[in-house]
Amino acid sequence: MEAEGTSQVISQSLQEAYDRQYEGNTGEWRDLCGKHKANNVLTVTSGMRFKSVMECGAGDGSVLRHLDASGAFQELTALEISDSAIQQIEKCGAKSLKSVTKYDGLTIPYPDQHFDMAYCTHVLEHVEHPRFVIREIARVSKYQVFEVPLDYSPCIDEKIDHYLSYGHISVFTPSVFKFMLRSEGFEVVSELRTHIPTDVRRYIDYQIARRKKTLTHEARIAATPFLRRVKRTVMGRKRFEEFAYSAFTCLTRRTGSLRILGD
């Protein structure tokens, strides 16, 4: 399976960085995160049928592999900017994968309303012009699924080096993200807020941070659901839903156009 061509609209140095991004050995981590991202896509689309589905910014195909295994969608198409990622996708063995397309990060090389649904998970926080990206995704699809991390916290500007170290240049809360969507003419059909899953937290603590596994730390992990309930009571439902989750996923469709000057 060969990736289709793309026009060059980003700098050569940045493209080279993207091309090498998936050469490292991070498969276990990406697969673990991909499992939960795929589950979130399936949750917000529950009860709906989509035959043709495109992933915008497919990475190494970790989400796509889990969706393929679910059997929920008949045809999957991957759209990706990185050569090393495309190589990983082409080797993933997904039976429902119809094509892998390399693109320029902005213009999607498919006609209007070509796909029943397109999804874009943990991509928009990395792109310079997220509004352009969601418009283009909406152009080629009837429905869309977006997922973004919820990075906002007070004094976020003091943590800029941390977030830039893994490429997050935009910060969202659920209401900020929905504001962008609705101002662009999107209707939010269903939505989901999620916390960091326990297996992901254990991987971060024990595999990435190399924390020593102790009974005390395991007890803290086990107590997390209770502590969240206490936090929700203290913060109140609205503030908790805005600031206490780690990711926001929503199913949308574009029913209008960009709203400006009170239109």
Side-chain angles (χ1 to χ4, degrees), residues 107-127:
T107 303
I108 298 177
Y110 286 98
D112 294 357
Q113 304 292 282
H114 185 74
F115 298 99
D116 294 331
M117 188 267 282
Y119 66 94
C120 180
T121 174
H122 291 256
V123 170
L124 295 174
E125 68 275 12
H126 296 277
V127 303

Side-chain angles (χ1 to χ4, degrees), residues 26-93:
T26 57
E28 184 180 359
W29 166 250
R30 295 185 189 280
D31 185 71
L32 177 62
C33 295
K35 175 184 70 173
H36 293 289
K37 293 172 186 176
N39 286 340
N40 292 344
V41 172
L42 294 174
T43 297
V44 296
T45 59
S46 177
M48 303 190 72
R49 286 175 169 261
F50 302 114
K51 177 183 176 182
S52 59
V53 173
M54 180 198 74
E55 179 173 8
C56 182
D60 68 345
S62 57
V63 180
L64 185 146
R65 287 194 299 272
H66 286 284
L67 290 178
D68 174 68
S70 75
F73 310 122
Q74 187 173 335
E75 297 177 357
L76 293 172
T77 294
L79 200 68
E80 179 51 49
I81 196 172
S82 166
D83 284 341
S84 59
I86 288 171
Q87 292 170 7
Q88 296 295 325
I89 296 170
E90 290 175 336
K91 296 187 295 185
C92 77

Side-chain angles (χ1 to χ4, degrees), residues 215-252:
L215 290 176
T216 300
H217 189 66
E218 281 294 302
R220 289 174 181 168
I221 293 176
T224 298
F226 170 75
L227 295 176
R228 284 177 182 150
R229 289 194 292 271
V230 173
K231 189 174 183 180
R232 182 185 177 95
T233 300
V234 173
M235 294 179 68
R237 181 181 63 83
K238 287 188 176 181
R239 291 185 68 245
F240 186 85
E241 290 184 350
E242 186 73 357
F243 302 117
Y245 287 88
S246 63
F248 178 75
T249 316
C250 59
L251 172 68
T252 69

Side-chain angles (χ1 to χ4, degrees), residues 143-144 146 178 181-190 250-256:
Y143 284 85
Q144 306 80 36
F146 298 108
K178 286 191 288 184
L181 290 172
R182 288 172 173 160
S183 69
E184 288 284 338
F186 286 82
E187 173 193 358
V188 177
V189 179
S190 62
C250 59
L251 172 68
T252 69
R253 59 181 177 181
R254 201 176 191 195
T255 57

